[in-house]
């Protein structure tokens, strides 16, 4: 407590000195007002209060055009601390409004508020926003639709209409109590009781049929489905019975069109999908099912695509094209086809050379507990890690500590390689790699350096899963992936440096690896973490500090007038 009090005084003094030197040239934007409060919702035969934005689950959709600027004032009338992250928005030079709890801001306490300044730049397509504090994002999330700039259009025929499709998780219990209890005991978290489409579990769950989400369509039209995976802990397959898709965008960037009858999408990812209603006038299930994981909700959530004029009491056709939850070939076949559009109108700039290389192992291990008193393996506490470092949340957010030069909050020694090299995907693991170290470690990047990260999945505790790794502040190029252990001599030969997809969340294959590249041209403090929420809660996180460039226009913007105290 004494540390936090002294830090508060230091920060207050610093920001009082700076309150009159903030930029006065910013364009005034009338803020959007959001109120976070507890709202009663009934699902799966039972009612409970959930944290919502303006009473909505999913929350409100933000509609912008490429390059816009928004101000969103968030008033917290709930009972827990909260922050909001604008997922996939690069926020050039503006980490102050990025949102992750204790990384770029201290939380908005109950009764307090904070105004986020959201700076859009090159993003175009579908993104999303969500709470970034504990497990509150289970119900606090919603779409961001970024339309082309005025006077321009899509690189595909304009659809007749569009629908946001938000995939999420529903827990009968209180999600904050679920994670708090799991962290206290050191064991696994409860799995969700249902998956949902636009807030509804669908026909296959008890007490859900009357609320099943439904979209009405006309024959012979093309619809844009803006699919967002906000599910807490499961990657999913998604399909519509007897309909094909053309996938045209991912994570706020366009891709070469993919013809398919299903998609695979991880938590954190978004996809723009064209669907033509060229089937018989009837009703069809839209469905999502989890891909295999150690703990997963293997139920199937459904919505209904209903043609106007059809019998609205008939049983919808089931999606036989939805892969089985263990179908790793379906995952690989889909993800390997994703490539950037990469044409004259939508160019990309893949780093061809690298200044900074990181090889990062992704693991779920455990830490011993006194008297084997915890609920993890052999009485231990579950702990996830990157390069064998399990992230610890600091007392003051990293951005303020870095910007105001407060010592003792973090160290800059996040390792560029793991402490041990071994057969990462073997069935048996050395004992010395099961127990991670703990700390608040960051990696410092020089401004404009070209960075390559190879993520290597591991089979520690036999917990191999797909890991959706998300980087704040950047889109990156997914240049390669494969199964087994990464081979530094041969695997880079197969990199795609011509038209790799430009994304913000990459799925690292189960017992495999994925390589990404990006240019560190956005100064600030930027979080990187697994988007499986239980893994992030266990410490599968780290942060980058990207140093300022040589000019004011290549340096972090000054802080806003008000920052929430810790």
């Amino acid at each position: 407590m004494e540390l936090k009090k002294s830090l508060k005084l230091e920060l207050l003094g610093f920001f009082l000195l700076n309150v009159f030197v903030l930029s006065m040239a910013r364009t005034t934007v009338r803020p959007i007002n959001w109120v976070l409060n507890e709202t009663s919702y009934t699902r799966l035969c039972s009612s409970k209060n959930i944290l919502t934005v303006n009473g909505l689950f999913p929350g409100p959709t933000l509609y912008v055009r490429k390059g816009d600027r928004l101000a969103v004032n968030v008033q917290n009338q709930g009972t827990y601390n909260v922050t909001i992250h604008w997922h996939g928005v690069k926020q050039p030079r503006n980490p102050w409004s990025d949102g992750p709890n204790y990384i770029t801001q201290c939380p908005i306490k109950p009764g307090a508020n904070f105004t986020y300044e959201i700076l859009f730049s090159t993003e175009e397509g579908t993104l999303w926003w969500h709470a970034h504090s504990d497990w509150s994002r289970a119900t606090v999330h919603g779409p961001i639709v970024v339309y082309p700039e005025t006077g321009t259009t899509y690189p595909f025929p304009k659809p007749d209409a569009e629908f946001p499709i938000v995939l999420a998780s529903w827990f009968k219990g209180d999600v904050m109590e679920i994670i708090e209890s799991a962290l206290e005991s050191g064991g696994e978290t409860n799995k969700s009781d249902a998956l949902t489409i636009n807030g509804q579990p669908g026909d296959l769950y008890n007490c859900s049929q009357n609320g099943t989400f439904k979209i009405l369509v006309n024959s012979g039209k093309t619809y844009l489905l803006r699919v967002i995976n906000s599910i807490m802990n499961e990657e999913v397959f998604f399909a519509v019975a007897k309909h094909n898709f053309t996938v045209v965008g991912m994570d706020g960037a366009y891709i070469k069109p993919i013809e398919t009858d299903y998609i695979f999408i991880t938590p954190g990812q978004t996809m723009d999908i064209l669907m033509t209603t060229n089937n018989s006038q009837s009703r069809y299930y839209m469905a999502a099912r989890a891909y295999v994981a150690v703990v997963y909700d293997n139920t199937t959530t459904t919505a209904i695509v209903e043609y106007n004029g059809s019998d609205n009491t008939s049983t919808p056709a089931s999606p036989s094209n939805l892969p089985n939850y263990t179908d790793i070939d379906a995952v690989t076949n889909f993800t390997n086809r994703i490539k950037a559009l990469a044409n004259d109108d939508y160019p990309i700039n893949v780093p061809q050379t690298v200044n900074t290389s990181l090889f990062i192992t992704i693991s779920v291990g455990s830490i011993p507990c006194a008297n084997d008193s915890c609920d993890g393996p052999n009485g231990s506490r579950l702990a996830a890690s990157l390069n064998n470092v399990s992230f610890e949340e600091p007392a003051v957010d990293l951005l303020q500590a870095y910007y105001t030069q407060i010592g003792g909050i973090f160290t800059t020694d996040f390792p560029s390689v793991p402490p041990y090299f071994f057969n990462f995907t073997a069935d048996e693991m050395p004992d010395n790699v099961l127990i991670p170290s703990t700390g608040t470690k960051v990696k410092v990047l020089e401004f404009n350096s070209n960075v390559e990260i190879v993520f290597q999945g591991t089979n520690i505790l036999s917990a191999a899963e797909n890991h959706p790794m998300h980087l704040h502040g950047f889109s990156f190029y997914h240049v390669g992936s494969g199964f087994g252990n990464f081979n530094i001599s041969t695997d880079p030969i197969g990199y795609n440096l011509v038209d790799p997809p430009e994304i913000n969340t990459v799925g690292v294959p189960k017992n495999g690896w994925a390589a990404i590249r990006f240019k560190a041209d956005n100064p600030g403090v930027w979080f990187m973490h697994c988007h499986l929420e239980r893994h992030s809660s266990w410490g599968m996180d780290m942060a980058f500090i990207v140093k300022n460039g040589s000019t004011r226009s290549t340096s972090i913007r000054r802080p806003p007038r008000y920052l929430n105290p810790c």
Side-chain angles (χ1 to χ4, degrees):
M1 292 297 296
E2 291 301 316
L3 172 64
K4 288 199 173 185
K5 286 180 182 178
S6 64
L7 290 172
K8 284 181 185 178
L9 291 173
E10 287 185 53
L11 293 171
L12 177 63
F14 175 82
F15 287 109
L16 285 175
L17 287 173
N18 279 275
V19 71
F20 295 110
V21 297
L22 300 175
S23 171
M24 304 301 292
R26 296 173 183 169
T27 303
T28 301
V29 176
R30 184 174 183 176
I32 297 167
N33 291 306
W34 284 0
V35 177
L36 281 158
N37 53 24
E38 298 286 334
T39 306
S40 179
Y41 270 74
T42 301
R43 298 287 186 272
L44 307 180
C45 315
S46 62
S47 299
K48 68 169 186 172
N49 285 338
I50 63 172
L51 188 63
T52 65
V53 170
N54 297 346
L56 301 175
F57 169 67
T61 301
L62 292 176
Y63 294 95
V64 300
R65 289 197 177 273
K66 182 179 179 180
D68 276 358
R69 171 177 171 260
L70 286 184
V72 179
N73 180 261
V74 177
Q75 183 177 352
N76 185 7
Q77 294 183 0
T79 55
Y80 296 99
N81 293 343
V82 74
T83 61
I84 303 292
H85 169 53
W86 317 94
H87 187 113
V89 182
K90 289 185 271 291
Q91 294 275 27
R93 303 174 45 235
N94 186 37
W96 306 103
S97 286
D98 187 50
N101 195 41
Y102 288 106
I103 305 300
T104 59
Q105 71 172 110
C106 294
I108 309 169
K109 293 181 172 65
N113 70 292
F114 182 73
T115 298
Y116 290 91
E117 184 181 20
I118 311 166
L119 305 180
F120 295 87
S121 53
T122 61
E123 309 89 356
E124 189 172 330
T126 304
L127 299 171
W128 64 301
W129 58 267
H130 60 83
H132 213 303
S133 42
D134 299 306
W135 274 30
S136 50
R137 83 164 176 89
T139 57
V140 180
H141 57 253
I144 301 174
V145 175
V146 185
Y147 290 117
E149 294 174 289
T150 302
T152 65
T153 187
Y154 305 110
F156 48 81
K158 185 178 180 181
D160 295 290
E162 63 180 54
F163 298 98
I165 303 295
V166 182
L167 311 175
S169 306
W170 184 265
F171 297 81
K172 286 185 177 180
D174 184 293
V175 292
M176 300 296 276
E177 291 178 2
I178 287 172
I179 184 57
E180 287 173 2
S181 175
L183 292 177
E184 183 177 343
S185 71
E188 264 286 7
T189 61
N190 292 349
K191 68 180 182 180
S192 55
D193 295 288
L195 305 178
T196 61
I197 296 176
N198 285 1
Q200 294 288 348
D203 287 1
L204 305 185
Y205 298 91
N206 290 334
C207 307
S208 292
Q209 189 165 4
N210 290 339
T212 296
F213 178 73
K214 181 169 63 176
I215 60 175
L216 292 174
V217 298
N218 294 313
S219 296
K221 302 294 185 181
T222 298
Y223 296 89
L224 175 59
L225 306 181
R226 298 182 178 274
V227 182
I228 299 163
N229 187 348
S230 67
I231 295 170
M232 296 291 279
N233 290 303
E234 289 87 22
E235 304 92 356
V236 296
F237 296 110
F238 173 86
V240 174
K242 298 185 178 180
H243 287 73
N244 290 327
F245 296 151
T246 303
V247 187
V248 294
M250 183 175 177
D251 283 7
Y254 296 118
I255 65 173
K256 290 181 171 65
I258 296 173
E259 302 294 332
T260 182
D261 59 359
Y262 72 93
I263 66 168
F264 172 73
I265 184 168
T266 75
Q269 290 180 340
T270 65
M271 290 188 187
D272 296 317
I273 300 170
L274 298 176
M275 182 183 73
T276 300
T277 49
N278 52 8
N279 224 302
S280 58
Q281 203 170 54
S282 188
R283 307 171 83 217
Y284 303 88
Y285 274 131
M286 171 188 294
R289 172 193 292 153
Y291 172 58
V292 66
V294 175
V295 173
Y296 62 93
D297 181 344
N298 65 352
T299 56
T300 300
T301 179
T302 58
I304 295 173
V305 176
E306 182 176 309
Y307 282 57
N308 276 312
S310 63
D311 177 4
N312 62 11
T313 63
S314 62
T315 301
S318 295
S320 59
N321 48 323
L322 194 67
N324 186 274
Y325 68 86
T326 59
D327 194 342
I328 193 169
D329 290 337
V331 173
T332 306
N333 292 340
F334 177 76
T335 55
N336 283 352
R337 297 172 64 193
I338 301 171
K339 293 179 171 57
L341 189 55
N343 60 22
D344 291 342
D345 293 327
Y346 299 93
I348 61 174
N349 185 21
V350 187
Q352 300 296 304
T353 59
V354 172
N355 308 114
T356 302
S357 295
L358 290 92
F359 183 82
I360 298 180
T361 51
I362 305 172
S363 306
V364 177
S366 63
I367 295 174
C369 293
N371 302 316
D372 300 331
S373 56
C374 294
D375 290 346
N378 300 315
S380 65
R381 174 180 303 279
L382 287 166
S385 64
L386 298 174
N387 273 354
N388 218 47
V389 178
S390 188
F391 185 81
E392 289 187 327
E393 191 174 85
V396 169
D397 71 89
L398 298 180
L399 178 58
Q400 289 190 45
Y402 168 63
Y403 195 82
T404 61
Q405 299 182 22
I406 300 173
I409 303 301
F410 63 88
T411 60
T412 58
D413 57 344
F414 180 84
S416 297
V417 295
Y420 312 104
F421 278 80
F422 52 96
N423 183 355
F424 300 112
T425 56
D427 291 334
E428 299 291 334
M429 293 285 148
D431 290 341
N432 61 350
V433 301
L434 299 178
I435 303 174
S437 63
T438 60
T440 307
K441 298 177 183 291
V442 306
K443 177 70 175 179
V444 178
L445 300 175
E446 295 295 326
F447 180 77
N448 256 355
S449 58
N450 291 337
V451 182
E452 177 177 301
I453 303 175
V454 175
F455 297 107
Q456 173 68 60
T458 69
N459 202 27
I460 294 175
L461 290 184
S462 299
E465 302 179 54
N466 257 43
H467 293 280
M469 297 302 299
H470 172 54
L471 175 60
H472 293 222
F474 296 89
S475 290
F476 50 74
Y477 297 102
H478 179 200
V479 297
S481 59
F483 292 103
N485 299 321
F486 178 76
N487 187 313
I488 196 170
S489 299
T490 59
D491 284 327
I493 297 172
Y495 281 179
N496 176 8
L497 301 180
V498 177
D499 57 358
E502 185 179 6
I503 55 180
N504 60 63
T505 305
V506 63
V508 181
K510 177 181 177 180
N511 270 332
W513 58 272
I516 67 170
R517 288 186 179 184
F518 65 97
K519 180 177 285 292
D521 56 1
N522 192 8
V525 176
W526 305 108
F527 202 31
M528 188 174 76
H529 61 97
C530 181
H531 228 283
L532 300 182
E533 206 64 27
R534 69 191 208 285
H535 288 178
S536 184
S537 298
W538 293 338
M540 197 175 283
D541 323 293
M542 60 85 67
F544 289 105
I545 291 177
V546 179
K547 295 167 69 172
N548 286 337
S550 59
T551 65
R552 181 173 178 179
S553 64
T554 57
S555 301
I556 299 175
R557 298 175 70 192
R558 293 190 178 105
R561 292 179 181 274
Y562 173 77
L563 288 171
N564 297 92
C566 291

